[in-house]
Structures are given as C-alpha cells and as structure tokens.
Amino acid sequence: MMAANNYFGFTHGGTQYGAATAGAAYGGQTGYAVAPAATAATYGTQRAAATGYDTAYQAAAATQDVYAAAAHAHAHAAVAAASAYDASKSAYYQQAAAAYPAAAPPQPQPTYDAAAAKPAYSTPATYTQGGARAGGGAKAYGGVYTHTHSHTATTAAASYPAQPYTAPAAQPPKQSANRGNTAYDTALYNAATMYVAQQNKTGGGGGWKNYNKGGVGAGQQRRPKPPPKAQQLHYCDVCRISCAGPQTYKEHLEGQKHKKKEAAVKLAAAGGGAGGAGGGGGAGRAGGGAALRCELCDVTCTGADAYAAHVRGIKHQKVVKLHTMLGKPIPSTEPTKLGGAKKTVAGTPKIAFVASGGLSTVASTSTKEQKPPQGDKDKEGDEKEDEGETEPEVQPVGQDYIEEIRGDDGKALSFNCKLCDCKFNDPNAKEMHMKGRRHRLQYKKKVQPDLEVKVKPSMHQRKLAEAKAQRLLVRDEIWARRRMHEQGMEEEERGYWEGGMEPWWPRGPLPPHHHHHHHGMGVPYGPVGRRPETSDDRHVVAKHAEIYPPEQQLQDIQRVVSHTEKALKSLSDALADHARPKAQAGNKAQNDKKDDKPEGKEDGRDNQLFSFVGEGEAAAGGAEGAAAAAAGAGTAGTAGTAGTAAAAGGPRALKGVMRVGLLAKGLLLRGDRDVRLVVLCHDRPTVTLLKRVATDLPAHLAKVKAPGDDTKYKVELLPAEGAVQVSDGSINVLVSLTSAVMREPAEGGDIKRDDKDVLPRQKCLDALAALRHAKWFQARAASLQSCVIIIRIMRDLCRRIPNWTPLNPYAMELLVSGVMQSAGAALSPGEALRRVMEAVGGGLLLDHGPGLRDPCEKELVDALGNLPPQKREDLTASAQQFLRQIAFRQIHKVLDMEPLPKLKHATGGWKFPRKRRRSNTDTEGDQPNGEGKVVKTEEKMDASENSAKK
Amino acid sequence: MVRGAGRGGRGMPGRGGMGRPPFNRPRVLMLRPPFDLILAEPAFPRCKPAPDDSALTQALLKRHAELCPTPAEQSAVLSLVTKLQTVLDNLVVAPGDFAACQLEEVRQVGSYKKGTMMAGKNVADIVVIMKTLPTKEAVEGLSNKVNEELNKLMRAEGAGSVSCGCHERGFTVTSSGAASAAVRVLVTTLHQNLRKLEPEVHLDYKVISSHLAAIRHSRWFEENAHHSSIKVLIRLLRDMCARHSGLEPLTPWMIDLLAHHCIMNNPARQALPINVAFRRALSLVAGGLFLPGCAGLPDPCEAAHARAHTALDLAAQDAAAATAQTLLRVVARGGHRYVLGLQAFEGGKDISTEITVWDGVVVSPLAPAYQETPEPMDTDDKDDEGVQDGVAA
C-alpha cells in the first residue's frame, strides 16, 4: 500500500511532468555539456537564464550516472553544472568522502520513499527529523527528487533554500520559471556542488548502489504512461481541490481564485529565491515564532492548540479524504515546524521537508539512524536551537475576562471574551483563544502592558503603523504652524480663560523649531514692547475717549483761567502799588519790565503756583514763597510762621495763584464747566479783601484780554465760600482766597483782632488742602501708568452710579493710586480697572478694612471719613458685581457703553478653519471640566462677541 | 497741557516704533494675581484702629473644635487603614496566586494623610498604583481579594468584619465596628500606562489621573503645608464650602492651596492669625481669585501655567465668587456665626442666597454675571489628547 501510494503519487506527478519534459530527458550529455557553458556567476542567474527545466533535467540525468533518482539528480546536476569549478571542492571532498560511505548506502532508498510519498508540496516544510529539515528539494516535484537532498543536507549540514518546485505538474513552463527565480545561497550551492563532485569521484561505490536502486524506481516512474482511469478526477495542486470534470477544472484554472493563489505561490517562490540576498519568503511567512504547519492543507497555525484544532477540523478532514481518494500521500499529522530564518546556515529560509507520518516511519527511523555518524556539531547545535525555538507553552491569560454564558440547565453554552469581544461555543476554542496572539495582544493592551506577545509584523500592520506615524507627524506640523501663526486675540482669549497657553496644548516637549518661543523668555523683560490690548483695554480706552473733554472745551477753559490768572496778577500788582506807592515805586517798574518779557510766566499753565511776586521782591518775598511751598506740602506750620514774620516788612496782600482740583489734576471730563483757583494771601484773607478783589477784578480782566476778544466776564462775590467766581457765561472759575496762616490756631494773640472780618476758616483750610492734593496728585498719581485714565473712568462711574456717589473724589483718587501702586508693575487700563474692582470687592472699604490714609495730613486721617456702613456695603456689593461682569466679558455693562466688536487681527496669518461643534453644546452641562470646559469657554467668548455684534 | 499730563507714562521710550516683541512669539497674556490686601499693605497703611476681632477668633476656634474628629473615630479609621495597608503591602510584595492585577505601590493620600479629616466623615483614602491596567475586572478582583484577606485578619483579631463595594474610582472598604470607618481605595496605574486607557474597558482616564495627582498633592502638602494653622483653616473652609451651595464646587485641593496661601503667603512669611487668614480667604475669593482672567493660585503639582481653579467651569467660578462676596459682607457685618455654621440661619437656609439685615444695614446677595448662551460656538478641533492629567483631586 505504501509503495503503491508512492508509485502512484509519483507517476501521477511524473506523468504530467513527463509529458512536458519530453523524451529527450535522459538522452545524453548535451545537457551536461550545455550546463557548464551556461554557467554564470551565480546559480540564480544561470537559472534565470532560462536553462529551463528540461535542460537542467537532462543535464542532471546525464551527469548522475552516479546517483539515484532522476529528479534529485537533476537538482544536483544543475548545481554541479553551475559550480563545477568551485575552489573549495577538494577540501570538501575529503570530508564528504569520509562521511558519505557510511551514510549513503542505506539512505537513498528510504528517503526516496519518504520523498516519493509526498505529493507536490508547494510550500516550505520542515523536516521533522532534526537537521534534515534542510532537505532542500522539499518541493519535490512530483515527490521525486528530494530525498537525496535531505541526505546531502545532513552531510553538508546545510539546507536548501525554500524550493518552490511547486508549480503543478500540469504547468511545466511555470515550474521552470519558478525554478529560474530561485537563487541558491552560495554556501548551499557550494556544498551541494561538492557533494556532486564527490559523488562523481566516488564512482561506483555506494553511489552505484544508490543509482541502481533509485534508478530502478526512477525508471519505473519515468516511464510515461497515461494516467489511470481512476485519475479522471481533476486535482489542482495549488488549490488542493478536486474538480468534477475537465471543464470545471479548466474553469478553475482560469478562475481568479486559482490565479491568485498561483501568483501567491510564485511570489513566495520569488521571495525564497531572493532569500539569498535578503530575508526569505518562508521566514516572512513563519514570522519569528515557531509556527506549525499542516502540510496537507497548507495552513499555518500559530500554536500547537491551533494546529490540533485544525487537524480536528472539518476542512482538514475534507482534504484528507480527498487526498486519500486521490491516493495522494498524506503527510503525517505531525505539524511541520516553521523555524526562523536563523536556523539556516546562510540565513536563508529553509525548505521544510517532512517525512510523511505513517508512511514514512521507516524512512524517519532510518534517517535517524543515519544521523549519528554524520551528526557533526553543526547539526547538534541546530537541534538545540530548534528546541530553544519551540515556543514555550503559552500560559493562557485573562481567564477573568471570559464570561460563560450558561443555558437554563447551568451548562456553559458559550463563552464571551470581553477583551476581544468574541464568542466561542467550544471550551477548546476558549482555551486556544486564551493562548492566542490576538487575545494576548488585547490583554497586553488592556490589562497588563508588560505581557510579552510575539509580534507578527504583517505587511498590513506595518502599513498601518507607518500611516499612523505619518499622521502624527502631519498633525505635529499643523499644530506647530498653528502655534506660530495664531496670535493676538486667539492667544489672549485662551489665556484669559484658561491660564497659560498650555492647558490646550498637549504638554511635553515642544517641537524643536519653536523652542525659542518658550514662555519664560518674555518674563524677565516684563511687558515686552507694547502689551497686547485686551478686549477690556479697548473698552476702557474707548470709554475714556468718550468722556474725555473735547478740544474746544479745553481751550475755552484754558482761556478763561489764563485771563483770570493774569487779571489776578495785575490786581495784585495794583494792590501792592496802592499799599506802598512810595517805598516800592522802583519795584513796580521792575515788575512791569518783567511782565513784558515773553519768557516770563504769564499764568498758571504748568499747574504750579503762579507767584505774583516779582524778582525784585524776591528778597522780601522769598519767605512767602517758602511759606507757600510749606503750605503746599502739608507742613505749613512753623515755617509758615517764620515766613510771615520775616516778610512782615511790606509783603503783597495777594502772593500767588494756583490751579487746584480737576484742572490741576487733569481730570476734567466732557461737560465739566467748573474749575478752581486758589489765591494765597499774605495774611488771613478778609471779607474786605475779597470784596476789593471782586470789585477790581473785572477791570483787570478787561485789561488782560486780547485786543479782539469780546468775552464778557462776570465776577460774583461768594463770601460764604470765601471766594469770587469768574464766569464767561459757560465756564465758571472759582477763585478762593486762603493763607497758610489759617492753619495756625485762631487764638494766637494779636491775630484775633479782626476775626469777624476773616473769611470762614474751614473754607480756607479746604482751599489749602486742595492745594496739597493737587501737588500730591502731580507728584504721585499722575506718574502711575493708567492711573489718570482710570481715575477719569471712575469719576464718570461715580457720577453715573448712585452707589458710588458717596465716594468722595479725593478718596477715590487715593484708592485708585494705591491700587495701582500696589500692583508692582505697570497695568494696562483694563487690568487697572479690574484691579480697582477687586480691591473694593475684596472688602477694602468695609468697616474692618484699613481705611484710606490721607498722605497730605500729618495725622492719621481716613480720607473716606465716616462713610456710613450701608454706603460701604453698597459700594462693595456694586464693585463685586462689576468685578464678575468684567471677568465674564461684560465690561461694557460696567462702563455703560455699547460693546465693541471683536478685533480682527490682520497679522494673524492664515488661520485654521474652525469647526463648529454644535452637537456638543447641549451636553456641556454635564462636562464640568476638561474638554467640556474649553468648549464652554470658547462658547462664552463667542457669545460675548455675538452680543457685541448686535 | 491737561492732555500732556493725562498721557504721561504710556509711551515706551527707547522702544518706539518697535511694536513687536523681540521674539516672534504669539503675545502672551500675563495674568495678574488679584488684589490682596495683605500683600498691598504698604499702599494701604492702616489709618484707623484695627477692629476687635476676638469674637471672630473665638468663633473660629470653637467651630474648629467641633469639626475635629473624635478620638474614637480617629482610632477606628487608624486601625482600618493600618490593616488595609498591611493587606495591600502583602499583595505588593507577595502576590502569590493573586492574578487579577499587579500592584506597584500603595500610598495614603487625602485628608487622612494630610491630617485634615473632619468629624463625621470618617473616610480615609488610599491610592493603589497598579502595574497592570486598571480594568473594572481587576478592580473587582482586587476588591474581592482585599475583602477576603482583610476579613481573615479581622477574624484573627476578633475585630468585626469589613465589606467592600466597588465604584468608579476603585472600591471602598467599610468596617462595621463600634465607630464606623471607611477607606476608599482609589485605583490608578503607572504613568506610562495612562495613554493606553480605553474608556469602555478601564476606569475613567480623568479618575485615574486624578488619583495620581492626589499622590502629588499629598506629597506637596507634607512638604509645604504642615503648619497646623493651615490645617485648621482647611477644616473651617471645607466646612464652610460644604454648607454654601456656591462654594461647593471648590475641590479639596483648591481649598488646600487657598488655605496655604492665606496663612503663609505674606511679606513676613510667618503664619497669620486664623481670623486674619479667614477674612483673607473670603476676601480673595470675593476679589476674583477664582475668576477667569485672574492668575489665581498656581498649581504646584502640575506643569507650569496651570491654575488650580480652572478645574471649575465658568458658572461655578462665577457662583463661587458671588457666594464669597456675599459671605464677606455678612462676616463684615458680624454674621460670622452663621457663616461658620455655629448657628443655623433661619432653619438651615443658605445665608449666601438670602437678604439679611444687620443693625439696619441691608446685605443682599448678588446676581450671577455668567450667562449661558444658546448660541453655538466655534471651537477648534482638538483631538483625543485634550485632557491633561491630574485634574485636581
């Protein structure tokens, strides 16, 4: 039976083969002669040079007088033909010659059987008996010529590359093409060559025996005979299917499926051929791991379990049945191990050759027996390697993740793997699944990241990975560019809501090309260049422009004030002349001369004291100046007294005039019509003096007017205020009279005499305080960035909002300047306003707060005075509300203005098209933070913008 | 001339014309810290005698005494934590046949670790770092194993029994002794595993990373906030926040940072008295510490530029500020007993939402400034990696 099978199988293959190869096959020496001639540098080329199967075969047949089976002989012949002149031949010869005789005699026959038992195998297989996996010709064409190779390999300890002698017998041309593609590795090639050479030399020794034996067999096989009737069955070797009739068979052969398979086989062959240079097709297939193959079905299984399942499976059974029916040899159920490429000496993928199971018991045993004599170290090493390579039994993992689905009777009906999301009905399948790669990968991915899973880099996966890397790269690039280009409002807005840029941006190393954009860089420089204008800033600035007085109004005020000052000076001169006409006559002349000088100070334009005292009077008036200055600094006291004493000789009654209040501080707003001047008197200002001023001033005003000026000035006496008011109809200038000596206690001796005549003391003191406040303001507040703007804004706020009205202007100025000062750095207008609100909202003005210390008083005075608690409460509450409105982009409500449209940045470069994310808006409620927050903030901003556009 | 004065100081001499910053960096908005009276002391020197604050101080101390856990509670939770720690340590060192997960490390975190536990809330926290990925099954397996081991231990000591219940953060071990105690075992995983988390299979990414953050927080706290004034203030603030709806969203971590800031961050670097610090805390939150556009409190346990309060959504930020603003004014009018919870306000109403009258002064709550808007918004497409790790614990 065994033999029958063999022969049958052989003949079957052989027949087809024979048909194609022509009768000349063993004809003669031509082949041999031709082959050397055709010898090229490499075997591959030679083959490719289309020596053709026939030629090779002939050559082989011709040469192999020595050797046995025609088929294998052919292979060797080809090899021999290619490298007959190999240099190392002799060296090898010795060894091989020594080894061969022992091995050779028994071998050929059994191996032959084994080989013959095999139907045409299209894919690599391993020789189960250890080193013999090298059995080069595993591709036994028609199962014929392999066995010697196994023998050869044993001897040479080398393996043949995957030998795709696969093409179905029905298609000889294809087969030859395949062969042509095959590139033998040099080493193998050499080894083989030598072997042949050795055989040649050995002549009629064991070799003859082989030859005879093999020859007989071969001869029988070769005899061209028509396929038996039983073989009407049409069998496709590539696809391993049988067809019902010739028609279907033909159709099958023309079918796409078949062609595909065929192409794949060819490709594998080519890959095997190319293996000499690079990796091998077989290796690629087998991956790194020890895969198991079912030779019969040409199925690669990843593990013993999978293999067992396959053998049990219906598909396998079908094939077995078919093959049995066809009488084809059925290889053992022993799986073929597909080892890694490293097992091959030269790194080539090897051909696997399986001694077919039941049929080849003899063969395998005999091979084993033969082995010891030849078993050189290489072999043993290989064997060990082999064992090392066999995958250690994989422990099933993830039992916990497989749930059993039980039926009503409590019996497990099926299993569900939660990790891989798959089901199986069979406990075996479950076991296998748990050991399987896919499951292990999932387990690694989802449960235990350090689990080792053999990776199988399939083409597909590699492509996926590459594509992913590519995508990442592109995304990085895009983000990088976006970072570069997105400026201004975008950044600012995001920063505003999110704090720093980072929350948006995956943290981690920045792409190297903008490392110089590092955040920290700006910090040491403080505000770099012009700070970006935030939306708050723009609103505040816009509001400020709105409340800032128009040019015309300022000029009007300027003119009236200037005239008043000049008139006062003129009046002062007149008074002085009048008081001391004789003694100071010279002085007057001097004064007149001074006044004519263009560079002389004409009025109080610089907001400093405009002294009426001429230079000639300096000696006498110097003390007064000092007194005035002392009063201005809030330290009027002893100095003032000293000044008065020193100037007792003959001082002017009116020493100078100074702008105070809004005018001096530059806090005038649109519509402001009232400004104040303070005239410093030498002595306590009296009602008499005030009346005198009121009566004389119009004349002097008329005198100082420009020639064409027809303004009518009206002067009003306001004794209760201790002042006169000059008015041109629209602008009112309040001129208060005061004196530094008013600060002294009223009960000071002789001064008491004309108490009744003296102007109200409090008014005079207020005027003095106004002087000091103006000086303080100019010295302190005006120099703080944004301070004046914010005070103007706050003045407007206090005018508009009842809650803020109780805050007196000076306290407000103190508050704002204190807030600015404590910031430690320059603030933009928007920030400044917010900070003021923060301070008030944080309870600065509440009862337990520190109060606002008046810097213009020596004692601790709270500039807020005794603001009632309810007012403080209301102020604080209002500021708190404003603060939150500012924070939520509603500063326009605080400022009582229309919201400004969003600024469009011309410099922004290209921008990303922004995606609408409508679907998200409704679910935001339950996304308190993380992504949802960003969404929400943006939404918020947009909302404010949208309302801005309305 | 008036104009000249008004414009002073706005120009940038020496940089005129160079409108752009030196680097082509998108301009960075530098956020300011809010106005803080303690730090602004030089600009606002006290000009009137400081009010007598002993009433507030007394009230604060009294309330704190009430908030401290009782010795019985403390010992109950201590014993449970010790046992649990033993069990978990054993699992780390010698897992034996326990294969549901592999443990890397076990750490105590949270209020138990920080020493800021509150009476009546006898729950300690332990973070378990898994080497494996935290699947729900792994958590369940760990929970069962812990339950079994712990009960074994308890039986050996004759100390009652425990029960374990899983939830989305890990599981909670509850002991049913005389004084009940519970330990929340919070599950997380190694940092490098964070990327591998999948929403359906594992615990939530945010939860996992917040547990990692909790470890950082505990460590920071140990190093920086060990002053007992801070702990006192933390208890008081946590209690206050829990009782006022607007302040509820503040996380314990924000409160920790706030308390630390209020006590320690002053020019002298000495701990401030508790009453000053309490007022300061209210005043800071009222002054917009936790509002958008404010530098807020930088999170020391996150990378630079992270602000602690951005974990709140905008409505919550607004509500927190508004509530603190009202409470600040209530306290200023002497209503601290209500704010602290020493006295229930009109049958347990939230005082921060009611109009109150104090000696004729009306204190009213404020309307929210933040408005939800139905308008859909533009948003930039952002991919999966939008979430940062460690969104405050």
Side-chain angles (χ1 to χ4, degrees):
Chain A
M1 154 77 190
M2 191 202 265
N5 260 349
N6 288 351
Y7 285 121
F8 191 74
F10 179 76
T11 21
H12 173 70
T15 325
Q16 293 159 347
Y17 160 71
T21 2
Y26 298 95
Q29 312 299 323
T30 14
Y32 188 55
V34 167
T39 306
T42 62
Y43 179 82
T45 1
Q46 185 223 347
R47 288 308 203 167
T51 328
Y53 184 77
D54 297 345
T55 328
Y57 195 87
Q58 287 170 356
T63 333
Q64 297 320 331
D65 310 324
V66 210
Y67 218 52
H72 82 253
H74 119 75
H76 283 285
V79 163
S83 70
Y85 308 106
D86 191 279
S88 56
K89 168 163 113 186
S90 51
Y92 185 75
Y93 174 64
Q94 303 298 338
Q95 189 201 354
Y100 188 70
Q107 189 170 15
Q109 194 48 58
T111 354
Y112 178 78
D113 287 344
K118 286 170 56 164
Y121 283 164
S122 59
T123 30
T126 24
Y127 186 63
T128 26
Q129 268 81 29
R133 73 215 165 287
K139 268 334 10 73
Y141 172 62
V144 189
Y145 54 90
T146 16
H147 66 283
T148 344
H149 286 276
S150 68
H151 174 59
T152 315
T154 359
T155 327
S159 51
Y160 270 63
Q163 218 30 298
Y165 293 29
T166 47
Q171 299 168 305
K174 285 214 166 106
Q175 182 200 9
S176 62
N178 286 346
R179 297 214 53 182
N181 284 341
T182 317
Y184 275 158
D185 181 81
T186 330
L188 294 175
Y189 171 71
N190 289 344
T193 323
M194 288 161 212
Y195 183 71
V196 172
Q198 174 229 344
Q199 294 294 347
N200 283 330
K201 297 260 171 176
T202 349
W208 274 114
K209 255 193 236 164
N210 288 344
Y211 175 67
N212 291 335
K213 280 184 190 167
V216 175
Q220 283 172 349
Q221 291 154 13
R222 254 181 269 126
R223 197 174 303 144
K225 70 177 160 192
K229 292 274 184 231
Q231 286 316 113
Q232 283 309 331
L233 211 105
H234 296 267
Y235 178 75
C236 170
D237 246 341
V238 175
C239 310
R240 274 138 217 261
I241 55 160
S242 59
C243 298
Q247 184 59 31
T248 33
Y249 183 62
K250 207 177 151 212
E251 274 167 11
H252 165 74
L253 288 186
E254 281 161 7
Q256 200 144 29
K257 200 175 162 195
H258 174 81
K259 288 205 170 125
K260 236 183 212 165
K261 258 205 168 144
E262 200 180 348
V265 164
K266 264 194 236 168
L267 195 72
R285 197 93 183 254
L292 299 176
R293 267 191 67 73
C294 172
E295 290 284 326
L296 194 58
C297 311
D298 187 18
V299 163
T300 312
C301 302
T302 46
D305 292 305
Y307 183 80
H310 166 72
V311 168
R312 279 199 301 270
I314 191 159
K315 194 181 161 204
H316 180 82
Q317 298 301 343
K318 228 178 183 171
V319 176
V320 168
K321 211 171 143 196
L322 176 66
H323 277 224
T324 320
M325 206 164 72
L326 282 173
K328 282 186 166 259
I330 297 171
S332 88
T333 46
E334 281 293 302
T336 304
K337 265 187 200 131
L338 293 183
K342 56 185 158 184
K343 272 189 267 172
T344 10
V345 173
T348 6
K350 70 203 55 155
I351 268 304
F353 170 56
V354 183
S356 38
L359 294 174
S360 62
T361 21
V362 190
S364 43
T365 35
S366 61
T367 322
K368 266 184 196 156
E369 279 159 15
Q370 292 160 12
K371 226 163 47 182
Q374 311 171 345
D376 49 22
K377 277 171 196 165
D378 273 354
K379 282 231 61 41
E380 273 159 23
D382 270 2
E383 224 160 359
K384 269 182 206 152
E385 231 181 69
D386 227 17
E387 277 158 17
E389 286 243 341
T390 55
E391 195 169 334
E393 185 61 4
V394 178
Q395 287 302 313
V397 290
Q399 175 88 51
D400 299 349
Y401 298 92
I402 296 186
E403 34 179 34
E404 291 182 10
I405 298 167
R406 290 180 184 279
D408 299 333
D409 52 350
K411 236 180 94 183
L413 285 181
S414 66
F415 302 90
N416 178 28
C417 176
K418 283 191 273 181
L419 289 179
C420 315
D421 195 25
C422 56
K423 281 203 170 94
F424 0 83
N425 301 323
D426 180 12
N428 283 327
K430 187 195 79 170
E431 285 298 318
M432 276 169 48
H433 173 77
M434 282 164 60
K435 290 178 182 177
R437 179 201 304 278
R438 187 162 66 109
H439 178 74
R440 284 174 70 85
L441 275 175
Q442 287 295 325
Y443 189 79
K444 175 184 167 76
K445 193 172 160 209
K446 295 176 177 170
V447 179
Q448 188 181 349
D450 52 355
L451 184 75
E452 276 197 25
V453 180
K454 288 265 166 56
V455 265
K456 183 170 78 178
S458 75
M459 214 50 168
H460 182 58
Q461 280 168 333
R462 215 176 309 155
K463 266 185 194 154
L464 279 183
E466 264 167 32
K468 197 177 172 191
Q470 186 67 26
R471 273 204 309 275
L472 276 176
L473 206 72
V474 167
R475 191 167 53 186
D476 274 357
E477 171 75 14
I478 283 168
W479 277 103
R481 276 205 276 178
R482 169 175 201 146
R483 265 171 81 84
M484 301 266 287
H485 287 275
E486 193 173 67
Q487 293 192 349
M489 290 305 275
E490 300 296 323
E491 287 298 342
E492 172 225 316
E493 289 281 350
R494 200 175 332 143
Y496 179 85
W497 301 100
E498 291 298 316
M501 345 294 320
E502 301 303 331
W504 246 68
W505 181 250
R507 289 202 186 103
L510 292 173
H513 56 282
H514 36 64
H515 64 275
H516 56 276
H517 288 160
H518 192 269
H519 274 93
M521 293 306 284
V523 176
Y525 297 93
V528 178
R530 283 180 68 114
R531 295 173 57 112
E533 273 205 332
T534 63
S535 153
D536 288 355
D537 291 342
R538 291 187 303 117
H539 279 90
V540 171
V541 169
K543 178 68 179 178
H544 180 254
E546 193 184 302
I547 60 175
Y548 194 77
E551 188 68 12
Q552 187 56 43
Q553 184 189 348
L554 284 176
Q555 280 177 2
D556 287 349
I557 293 174
Q558 200 62 52
R559 181 172 41 81
V560 176
V561 170
S562 176
H563 285 170
T564 310
E565 283 170 337
K566 284 178 187 164
L568 283 170
K569 164 131 177 93
S570 165
L571 176 65
S572 168
D573 291 344
L575 285 176
D577 288 348
H578 182 74
R580 276 166 310 206
K582 298 149 219 155
Q584 302 291 335
N587 268 352
K588 184 180 181 283
Q590 250 181 346
N591 279 351
D592 290 344
K593 215 165 76 189
K594 286 276 172 292
D595 287 345
D596 294 341
K597 283 187 180 174
E599 67 267 29
K601 191 174 163 184
E602 288 181 355
D603 57 17
R605 204 174 288 264
D606 59 355
N607 294 324
Q608 298 299 324
L609 185 71
F610 174 40
S611 176
F612 301 146
V613 182
E615 279 177 21
E617 291 171 293
E624 280 98 302
T635 52
T638 51
T641 323
T644 326
R652 292 180 174 225
L654 304 179
K655 294 189 296 184
V657 65
M658 185 176 163
R659 302 175 181 191
V660 297
L662 303 178
L663 185 57
K665 295 171 184 171
L667 299 179
L668 285 169
L669 298 185
R670 179 184 292 267
D672 274 331
R673 310 220 166 274
D674 301 303
V675 294
R676 278 187 80 187
L677 294 176
V678 170
V679 175
L680 270 179
C681 305
H682 168 65
D683 204 352
R684 292 158 190 277
T686 59
V687 179
T688 324
L689 179 62
L690 192 66
K691 278 181 182 159
R692 176 87 188 264
V693 169
T695 42
D696 289 358
L697 200 54
H700 290 283
L701 275 172
K703 201 167 73 185
V704 297
K705 260 197 298 195
D709 197 347
D710 55 349
T711 329
K712 297 263 186 286
Y713 287 110
K714 198 175 83 184
V715 177
E716 245 179 296
L717 178 64
L718 301 171
E721 293 289 320
V724 290
Q725 181 170 287
V726 179
S727 169
D728 75 338
S730 64
I731 312 287
N732 305 314
V733 183
L734 189 72
V735 183
S736 311
L737 269 56
T738 188
S739 167
V741 293
M742 288 301 282
R743 295 183 70 89
E744 292 161 39
E747 63 276 2
D750 59 330
I751 320 168
K752 234 177 175 175
R753 58 192 147 89
D754 43 13
D755 251 357
K756 269 176 271 172
D757 195 30
V758 172
L759 292 175
R761 180 164 188 261
Q762 191 53 48
K763 293 294 168 193
C764 294
L765 289 182
D766 285 352
L768 279 178
L771 266 179
R772 294 195 301 274
H773 294 168
K775 283 182 175 290
W776 164 83
F777 189 92
Q778 287 154 12
R780 293 302 171 100
S783 59
L784 291 169
Q785 188 171 7
S786 302
C787 191
V788 180
I789 293 181
I790 295 305
I791 292 175
R792 286 195 196 115
I793 295 281
M794 291 297 291
R795 262 203 73 209
D796 173 64
L797 197 81
C798 292
R799 278 202 310 204
R800 279 189 292 116
I801 298 166
N803 277 348
W804 288 78
T805 315
L807 188 63
N808 73 59
Y810 179 55
M812 188 268 287
E813 289 158 23
L814 283 176
L815 169 75
V816 173
S817 72
V819 168
M820 303 289 122
Q821 196 189 325
S822 66
L827 296 176
S828 75
E831 289 173 336
L833 181 62
R834 179 172 173 157
R835 189 171 168 86
V836 171
M837 293 304 170
E838 282 171 358
V840 179
L844 181 67
L845 302 183
L846 286 177
D847 288 332
H848 64 81
L852 292 172
R853 206 206 134 166
D854 187 347
C856 298
E857 304 294 336
K858 272 191 296 180
E859 312 85 47
L860 289 177
V861 174
D862 186 354
L864 269 181
N866 37 11
L867 200 62
Q870 181 67 61
K871 304 278 184 213
R872 292 172 185 263
E873 156 73 25
D874 292 344
L875 255 179
T876 306
S878 168
Q880 289 172 341
Q881 188 70 27
F882 285 162
L883 169 63
R884 282 181 296 114
Q885 284 175 340
I886 294 173
F888 290 102
R889 286 280 189 265
Q890 296 160 34
I891 197 171
H892 55 274
K893 290 187 184 168
V894 178
L895 296 173
D896 187 28
M897 62 189 287
E898 289 296 307
L900 298 176
K902 188 171 186 169
L903 204 62
K904 293 280 176 272
H905 268 269
T907 58
W910 61 270
K911 265 195 189 173
F912 250 75
R914 306 178 95 201
K915 266 190 208 160
R916 294 230 165 218
R917 210 153 138 187
R918 288 167 197 274
S919 56
N920 249 9
T921 49
D922 44 0
T923 55
E924 268 154 34
D926 38 51
Q927 292 182 312
N929 40 29
E931 268 186 65
K933 186 182 42 148
V934 176
V935 170
K936 204 178 269 181
T937 55
E938 297 251 340
E939 178 184 31
K940 172 78 194 101
M941 290 184 291
D942 273 43
S944 55
E945 290 316 318
N946 284 326
S947 52
K949 281 168 202 152
K950 279 171 205 160
Chain B
M1 48 183 74
V2 173
R3 286 187 136 183
R7 291 242 168 122
R10 280 202 67 211
M12 291 299 279
R15 280 190 201 272
M18 299 290 289
R20 298 178 73 90
F23 303 108
N24 195 17
R25 165 102 195 101
R27 288 166 296 183
V28 178
L29 179 78
M30 278 180 296
L31 296 173
R32 288 177 311 103
F35 180 83
D36 185 345
L37 188 52
I38 303 290
L39 300 177
E41 180 86 45
F44 291 98
R46 184 162 277 280
C47 63
K48 56 186 185 186
D52 178 21
D53 225 10
S54 61
L56 176 62
T57 312
Q58 290 308 315
L60 287 168
L61 293 179
K62 181 156 179 281
R63 182 62 183 165
H64 178 250
E66 290 175 15
L67 292 175
C68 275
T70 62
E73 283 180 318
Q74 282 177 334
S75 64
V77 78
L78 175 69
S79 102
L80 183 60
V81 169
T82 316
K83 288 196 190 77
L84 185 59
Q85 181 89 44
T86 317
V87 168
L88 288 173
D89 281 345
N90 282 343
L91 285 181
V92 172
V93 176
D97 60 344
F98 175 65
C101 58
Q102 295 169 23
L103 303 189
E104 168 78 16
E105 208 182 347
V106 177
R107 277 175 180 275
Q108 297 172 8
V109 298
S111 56
Y112 173 80
K113 173 75 170 170
K114 296 171 186 170
T116 55
M117 290 193 74
M118 313 258 291
K121 220 183 147 220
N122 220 13
V123 182
D125 296 295
I126 284 187
V127 169
V128 170
I129 309 175
M130 288 188 178
K131 241 186 281 189
T132 51
L133 294 176
T135 56
K136 280 148 195 156
E137 285 79 12
V139 172
E140 219 173 283
L142 181 63
S143 152
N144 292 338
K145 179 73 176 174
V146 164
N147 195 13
E148 176 192 324
E149 294 286 323
L150 208 52
N151 275 320
K152 224 184 276 172
L153 205 67
M154 297 289 256
R155 264 199 303 282
E157 292 182 21
S161 66
V162 298
S163 57
C164 288
C166 288
H167 45 81
E168 73 280 4
R169 305 181 76 94
F171 57 94
T172 303
V173 182
T174 320
S175 80
S176 53
S180 74
V183 179
R184 283 197 300 173
V185 179
L186 308 172
V187 173
T188 186
T189 185
L190 293 177
H191 209 272
Q192 61 265 30
N193 290 347
L194 282 180
R195 290 184 300 117
K196 299 172 186 151
L197 297 177
E198 287 174 21
E200 321 85 56
V201 184
H202 304 116
L203 299 190
D204 188 36
Y205 175 86
K206 276 183 200 141
V207 169
I208 296 284
S209 52
S210 78
H211 294 165
L212 281 181
I215 296 176
R216 295 196 291 274
H217 296 167
S218 297
R219 201 177 298 151
W220 174 86
F221 194 91
E222 224 174 346
E223 287 162 11
N224 297 284
H226 43 71
H227 197 285
S228 45
S229 288
I230 298 176
K231 294 176 186 175
V232 171
L233 187 58
I234 288 174
R235 280 202 186 92
L236 290 166
L237 289 178
R238 279 176 67 179
D239 171 63
M240 183 182 80
C241 292
R243 278 181 298 97
H244 298 99
S245 57
L247 293 173
E248 241 176 333
L250 296 193
T251 62
W253 176 233
M254 291 179 210
I255 294 176
D256 288 354
L257 288 174
L258 177 63
H260 174 259
H261 177 86
C262 290
I263 296 271
M264 297 308 288
N265 191 2
N266 56 67
R269 294 278 157 197
Q270 295 299 311
L272 289 180
I274 188 73
N275 58 328
V276 177
F278 180 76
R279 281 186 196 279
R280 186 186 189 192
L282 272 183
S283 152
L284 280 176
V285 180
L289 183 73
F290 290 159
L291 284 182
C294 179
L297 295 174
D299 192 329
C301 295
E302 300 298 331
H305 308 295
R307 295 180 294 169
H309 71 270
T310 45
L312 299 175
D313 64 27
L314 294 176
Q317 292 181 15
D318 189 30
T323 306
Q325 287 170 345
T326 309
L327 292 181
L328 173 75
R329 286 176 287 128
V330 169
V331 170
R333 300 315 315 161
H336 53 260
R337 293 182 63 78
Y338 299 107
V339 172
L340 287 176
L342 284 169
Q343 224 170 315
F345 176 72
E346 285 178 12
K349 275 195 223 162
D350 188 344
I351 198 170
S352 63
T353 58
E354 304 290 325
I355 296 176
T356 49
V357 181
W358 314 85
D359 300 330
V361 175
V362 181
V363 175
S364 29
L366 299 166
Y370 173 71
Q371 292 156 347
E372 290 283 350
T373 152
E375 187 67 21
M377 24 90 45
D378 287 335
T379 180
D380 298 271
D381 48 338
K382 75 202 191 63
D383 293 334
D384 36 354
E385 66 251 291
V387 187
Q388 298 307 313
D389 41 68
V391 185

